[in-house]
């Protein structure tokens, strides 16, 4: 009789432990962050002259109002472009 009551007691303890309410960690809620980036400003090409020198050659650009001149020299090739 002792064995049966001991067995019932052990089963009841196991039932209580297994049915104990488990605390769950709160899950972070999903949040949406909206970022409104300012529109990039459009830069107009300023009048003036720019010179670029590299391993491939030389690039010279000049702009004066609506007139534009580009000169590219390098690698045995030479190009001259004039836009009005």
């Amino acid at each position: 009789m002792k064995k049966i009551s001991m067995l019932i007691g052990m089963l009841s303890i196991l039932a209580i432990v297994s049915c104990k309410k488990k605390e769950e960690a709160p899950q972070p809620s999903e949040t949406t962050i909206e970022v409104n980036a300012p529109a990039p400003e459009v830069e107009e090409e300023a009048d003036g002259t720019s010179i670029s020198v590299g391993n491939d050659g030389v690039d010279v650009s000049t702009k004066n109002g609506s007139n534009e001149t580009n000169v590219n020299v390098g690698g045995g090739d030479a190009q001259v472009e004039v836009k009005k």
Side-chain angles (χ1 to χ4, degrees):
M1 190 80 166
K2 278 186 168 182
K3 290 183 181 182
I4 292 177
S5 61
M6 224 179 188
L7 182 60
I8 291 174
M10 288 175 63
L11 288 175
S12 63
I13 290 173
L14 285 175
I16 292 171
V17 170
S18 66
C19 292
K20 183 179 177 182
K21 186 176 181 180
K22 295 180 181 178
E23 293 183 25
E24 294 182 13
Q27 295 184 357
S29 61
E30 292 183 26
T31 58
T32 302
I33 300 174
E34 293 184 23
V35 177
N36 294 329
E41 296 180 18
V42 177
E43 294 184 24
E44 292 184 20
E45 286 187 31
D47 290 348
T49 302
S50 67
I51 300 173
S52 175
V53 179
N55 291 339
D56 296 330
V58 178
D59 180 22
V60 178
S61 300
T62 303
K63 182 176 181 191
N64 185 6
S66 62
N67 296 333
E68 185 176 335
T69 303
N70 294 321
V71 178
N72 298 316
V73 179
D77 295 328
Q79 299 175 347
V80 175
E81 180 180 333
V82 177
K83 292 183 182 179
K84 290 188 178 186

